[in-house]
Amino acid sequence: MSIVVYLGDDAETRDWVRLLSGLLPEFEVRDFDDPGDLAAVEYAVVWAPPAGGIASFPNIKAVVSVGAGVDHVLRDPELPKHLPILRTTGPDMIQRLREYVALHVLTHHRDLAVTDEFQSRAHWQQIVTPVAGKRRVGIMGLGQIARACAATLVSLGFDVAGWSRSGGAVEDVTVFAGKDALPDFLARTEILVCLLPLTAETRDILNAETFSQLPKGARLINAGRGGHLVEADLLAALSEGQLAGATLDVFRTEPLPPDHPFWKHPAIRVTPHIASYIDAGTGAAVIAANIRQFEATGTCEAIADAARGY
Ligand code: GLV
């Protein structure tokens, strides 16, 4: 029995193969592109695998996403239906995202772009921004990772709300649940942070109508997926002043093409899908434990709900 690994980068794949081999000696761990006996493959540990690849393993038991999101697996039209998909999170991954969200919320909150512009002109001017308690931050998504980010923002003193499909109480966070509550959530949100999974329901959710419901001059941070954002609507909202700035970590096309207007836009900060990251060192241990649990019990807490899309 074997496990195949696909990370889209040879050196990274080799690293994961080596670590998983050490942690799961009962399996042969191989590169997805050199799988050996296809019938022996029981697990595929992947990030954005090529379409049709997983369907070539007739006895596969589960796909393991090297990431919290599973959209990069589900987008394969040939993916066998009902194949369990295990998500991967872990303390390092959550910690990185907390850092990213705190950093960029604070950057918008304290108007750092304005101060940077002053510095570029050797211009001394003090700007005073409200204290965090007077800044209303709204997080779209209330999964495990988003809740941790909300707690970080609460600990910094921000007035935090969260919105998701199904809601659920979160300490010190005002929760809005479901489509009908979205307008009220948006109306009170000055800094909008998208941490949603990408599903049929959330695709294109960051659009002109959404932006128009935010207070004028609101900011956007998208660390969900590029597919959440209607890019032309963001550019229009920025040029109309409806939005005052955006921080984007994820894009419809990654890597972001060099001639894309986002790169040089004065009100957009681009980061190259680094809001979080699962490094092989800690990630392989999480994945090995999940595979062991799945082997032993036929299920696992990390199983995504393919019908919901996350
Ligand atoms: C990263 O984008 C993830 O899904 O974990």
Side-chain angles (χ1 to χ4, degrees):
M1 37 193 212
S2 66
I3 296 176
V4 290
V5 180
Y6 185 91
L7 270 298
D9 173 279
D10 289 347
E12 261 195 282
T13 299
R14 274 197 300 278
D15 226 18
W16 279 85
V17 166
R18 181 177 53 78
L19 286 156
L20 287 170
S21 302
L23 291 162
L24 294 164
E26 63 275 39
F27 289 91
E28 187 185 3
V29 185
R30 303 180 62 115
D31 188 323
F32 191 99
D33 292 328
D34 176 25
D37 178 8
L38 298 180
V41 175
E42 295 190 337
Y43 295 92
V45 175
V46 298
W47 176 262
I54 288 166
S56 69
F57 308 123
N59 297 317
I60 188 154
K61 293 182 184 170
V63 180
V64 181
S65 160
V66 183
V70 295
D71 51 295
H72 62 99
V73 178
L74 290 170
R75 73 184 178 185
D76 176 354
E78 291 169 52
L79 186 76
K81 296 274 169 281
H82 312 301
L83 189 60
I85 305 172
L86 313 190
R87 309 164 65 237
T88 306
T89 56
D92 288 8
M93 187 205 186
I94 294 172
Q95 175 60 24
R96 285 194 173 96
L97 205 59
R98 293 165 77 126
E99 293 168 11
Y100 185 92
V101 168
L103 172 66
H104 293 288
V105 166
L106 283 166
T107 296
H108 286 294
H109 167 60
R110 297 296 291 259
D111 267 338
L112 217 59
V114 176
T115 312
D116 284 349
E117 196 277 320
F118 290 166
Q119 183 174 353
S120 75
R121 296 188 279 124
H123 174 68
W124 180 279
Q125 184 183 332
Q126 294 174 325
I127 47 169
V128 179
T129 51
V131 291
K134 298 227 153 53
R135 183 73 78 190
R136 297 187 309 269
V137 182
I139 301 184
M140 297 178 104
L142 281 175
Q144 182 196 19
I145 301 174
R147 283 164 189 255
C149 293
T152 302
L153 295 175
V154 166
S155 75
L156 286 168
F158 286 104
D159 178 352
V160 182
W163 174 83
S164 74
R165 207 174 65 110
S166 50
V170 185
E171 206 180 330
D172 297 323
V173 173
T174 312
V175 171
F176 294 81
K179 251 202 164 94
D180 293 348
L182 186 57
D184 286 344
F185 165 79
L186 294 171
R188 53 77 63 204
T189 291
E190 297 168 284
I191 302 176
L192 180 65
V193 182
C194 176
L195 297 176
L196 288 165
L198 184 64
T199 67
E201 279 176 51
T202 66
R203 184 173 296 280
D204 296 336
I205 195 165
L206 302 174
N207 58 36
E209 194 191 341
T210 300
F211 299 148
S212 73
Q213 295 175 70
L214 292 164
K216 196 169 173 65
R219 320 291 175 105
L220 169 69
I221 298 170
N222 187 18
R225 284 287 185 262
H228 289 132
L229 176 65
V230 180
E231 297 187 342
D233 289 3
L234 172 63
L235 292 171
L238 288 168
S239 73
E240 288 154 12
Q242 176 57 22
L243 289 185
T247 301
L248 307 175
D249 187 56
V250 287
F251 303 91
R252 290 196 173 245
T253 306
E254 294 183 10
L256 187 64
D259 58 351
H260 196 287
F262 287 172
W263 280 115
K264 298 217 167 114
H265 196 293
I268 296 178
R269 184 187 296 274
V270 167
T271 58
H273 203 145
I274 41 78
S276 195
Y277 178 74
I278 300 184
D279 51 84
T282 52
V286 173
I287 287 175
N290 285 342
I291 289 179
R292 282 244 158 79
Q293 189 188 358
F294 189 81
E295 278 285 291
T297 64
T299 186
C300 176
E301 284 134 31
I303 288 188
D305 180 334
R308 271 192 336 206
Y310 59 96

